[in-house]
Structure formats: structure tokens, C-alpha cells
Amino acid sequence: MLRLLKPNAIILHKTRPQVGQEIQACIGCNECILACPAVAEPITIDMLNRETISGPISEPVARFARACYQCGACVSPCPVGLHRDAMMLWLKVRLLSMVEEE
């Protein structure tokens, strides 16, 4: 008899402390940025890390966050094994909450 396998759910959304820990673990090599097909203008990993957690979000980072479709191309090149795709979800949530505040 054929049994259907139930896929394991993967939670991509991380809490603020988890995102903060991943950002602290980032070595700033820019490999994730270089691998990303959504990058259309120059941004650095330092900008992205800083603006993911707090403070104002610059237009280049906001455009990048909107263009990111979380394909995961940023994950495998990371020498530290971070999940930038999950961190991008946090940044997208911040962008949405900023729009709601306006």
C-alpha cells in the first residue's frame, strides 16, 4: 500500500534574539550578497546586518528586501552556516510594521 509522507515543517521566522545571534555570528564576508540574484544595487552585509535589527531602513536595503524571494541562494555560500533567508524574513516584517506605523 502506498503511504503518503508528511513533510516536516520548517520554521523560517526567527525571534529577535535568534536573529541578533546570527548577525553577531556573521563574519562580514559578503558571500551571501554576492550569491544573491535579488541584489540590484550596491549594498554591504554591514548595512544589511545593522538595518535588519533596528534603526531606520535605507531605501537600497528596503528595495533589496522587497526583491528578495527567499530562494536560499545566500545560505550555501555562507562559511559560518547562517540562514540569511530567515533573517530576510525578519527584515520584511520590520518593513511591514514601519508601513503600518505611518
Side-chain angles (χ1 to χ4, degrees):
M1 174 177 250
L2 180 65
R3 285 183 48 190
L4 296 177
L5 297 177
K6 183 177 178 183
N8 292 330
I10 298 173
I11 298 174
L12 284 181
H13 188 73
K14 294 179 179 271
T15 65
R16 183 184 176 98
Q18 289 171 324
V19 171
Q21 287 174 341
E22 290 221 1
I23 287 175
Q24 286 180 343
C26 176
I27 61 173
C29 68
N30 277 322
E31 291 298 319
C32 57
I33 300 291
L34 296 172
C36 180
V39 175
E41 58 191 297
I43 62 169
T44 65
I45 193 64
D46 292 332
M47 288 172 62
L48 190 57
N49 284 343
R50 184 176 55 250
E51 296 177 26
T52 295
I53 287 291
S54 63
I57 299 173
S58 65
E59 277 305 308
V61 170
R63 283 190 291 271
F64 171 59
R66 288 184 198 106
C68 170
Y69 48 93
Q70 293 176 277
C71 67
C74 55
V75 176
S76 62
C78 178
V80 184
L82 303 180
H83 280 267
R84 175 62 56 184
D85 55 344
M87 289 185 268
M88 289 303 294
L89 186 56
W90 181 265
L91 181 57
K92 289 172 179 278
V93 168
R94 279 199 68 220
L95 276 173
L96 286 173
S97 65
M98 292 174 82
V99 169
E100 290 174 359
E101 290 173 4
E102 292 178 354

